[in-house]
């Protein structure tokens, strides 16, 4: 997008925040767990039952215990960027205590390597045998 709009003298900048201390994260984690516990047992079983909830809880606890920046850091950075001259703009800005470490490292890795590392933190449904969608059974 940045390159496409450059011909029109429109500058595009990415803001890449790390962990920002907001209610969004707290609400997201508590609502995810609440909705998971309220799901039918057949759905919970697809994700490994109670083990999924335990793993998600530990992940969110780790995020909450990590270095989180204040939201004002992002808004202050946005204000600085908006007041800059176009020639001084960088293509992207890393904002937050942890943005310069973990996430920047992911960005510099080949996508396949970064995705492999990220998969360690993703919890997906377990594989089950289900009929193909184009098969009709009685």
């Amino acid at each position: 997008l940045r390159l496409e709009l450059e011909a029109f003298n429109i500058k595009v900048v990415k803001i890449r925040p790390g962990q920002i201390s907001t209610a969004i994260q707290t609400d997201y984690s508590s609502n995810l767990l609440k909705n998971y516990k309220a799901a039918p047992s057949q759905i919970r079983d697809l994700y490994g039952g109670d083990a999924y909830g335990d793993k998600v809880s530990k992940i969110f606890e780790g995020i909450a215990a990590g270095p989180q920046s204040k939201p004002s850091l992002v808004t202050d950075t946005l204000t600085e960027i908006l007041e800059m001259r176009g020639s001084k703009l960088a293509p992207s800005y890393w904002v937050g205590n942890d943005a310069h470490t973990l996430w920047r490292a992911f960005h510099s890795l080949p996508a396949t390597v970064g995705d492999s590392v990220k998969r360690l933190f993703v919890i997906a449904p377990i594989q089950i045998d289900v009929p193909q969608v184009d098969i009709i059974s009685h």
Side-chain angles (χ1 to χ4, degrees), residues 45-106:
D45 289 345
L46 289 173
Y47 286 84
D50 291 338
Y52 173 82
D54 295 342
K55 189 169 184 179
V56 169
S57 291
K58 287 179 185 174
I59 289 171
F60 285 129
E61 286 170 12
I63 289 171
Q68 295 187 3
S69 302
K70 293 181 180 181
S72 60
L73 181 62
V74 176
T75 57
D76 291 347
T77 302
L78 286 171
T79 301
E80 288 176 28
I81 291 169
L82 290 170
E83 292 174 350
M84 279 186 201
R85 293 262 183 213
S87 62
K88 294 181 180 181
L89 288 174
S92 62
Y93 292 86
W94 300 87
V95 182
N97 294 331
D98 64 339
H100 293 284
T101 53
L102 178 65
W103 301 115
R104 193 165 200 162
F106 279 139

Side-chain angles (χ1 to χ4, degrees), residues 36-47 49:
Y36 178 73
K37 289 175 183 175
S41 62
Q42 300 93 328
I43 300 296
R44 291 192 315 271
D45 289 345
L46 289 173
Y47 286 84

